[in-house]
Amino acid sequence: MAREYITANFAGDVSLEKISSICHCNSSYLSCIFKKKTGQSISEYVNTIRISRVKLLLWVSHMTVTQISYEIGYNDSGYFSRIFKKHTGMSPETFRKRMNRKK
């Protein structure tokens, strides 16, 4: 249930507290079970879902990186760029340039 909620609401409130209330369980218990089943913490899972969406938007849209960061739930474009680079090894701008060369 937690994964489905995150996938459907990744750009909104996906805090541990919100997810645990949706799942009707304690947040510590949810964190433990989620990590066991997925191999990722809830925040890692949220970031993975968001980065997947960002890659698509960088490839097919003309939105700025800042617009994309807000669109997918990051309120700080600098933080978003750091997370993106951590996941992909490159900045969002570099990723977009590489994808555009492949078109």
Side-chain angles (χ1 to χ4, degrees), residues 8 13 15 19 24 34-35 39 44 47 57 59-60 63-64 67 81 85 92 95 97 103:
D13 183 6
S15 66
I19 299 167
H24 306 289
F34 193 90
K35 177 90 175 188
E44 290 168 338
N47 284 331
L57 290 173
W59 187 46
V60 301
M63 295 169 67
T64 67
Q67 289 170 325
S81 291
K85 188 168 187 172
F95 180 85
K97 286 177 187 172
K103 282 185 180 179

Side-chain angles (χ1 to χ4, degrees), residues 19-72:
I19 299 167
S20 61
S21 72
I22 297 292
C23 295
H24 306 289
C25 66
N26 177 288
S27 58
S28 297
Y29 175 74
L30 176 63
S31 290
C32 183
I33 294 301
F34 193 90
K35 177 90 175 188
K36 277 185 183 179
K37 290 194 177 214
T38 66
Q40 294 180 302
S41 69
I42 289 176
S43 63
E44 290 168 338
Y45 187 79
V46 169
N47 284 331
T48 299
I49 297 294
R50 286 177 172 173
I51 295 302
S52 294
R53 176 71 174 162
V54 167
K55 288 178 179 179
L56 176 65
L57 290 173
L58 286 169
W59 187 46
V60 301
S61 80
H62 295 288
M63 295 169 67
T64 67
V65 171
T66 300
Q67 289 170 325
I68 292 171
S69 70
Y70 285 105
E71 177 81 17
I72 55 112

Side-chain angles (χ1 to χ4, degrees), residues 1-10 12-15 18-20 22-23:
M1 179 183 253
R3 286 190 290 189
E4 291 83 7
Y5 177 81
I6 292 167
T7 301
N9 299 284
F10 67 89
D13 183 6
V14 287
S15 66
K18 178 68 173 180
I19 299 167
S20 61
I22 297 292
C23 295

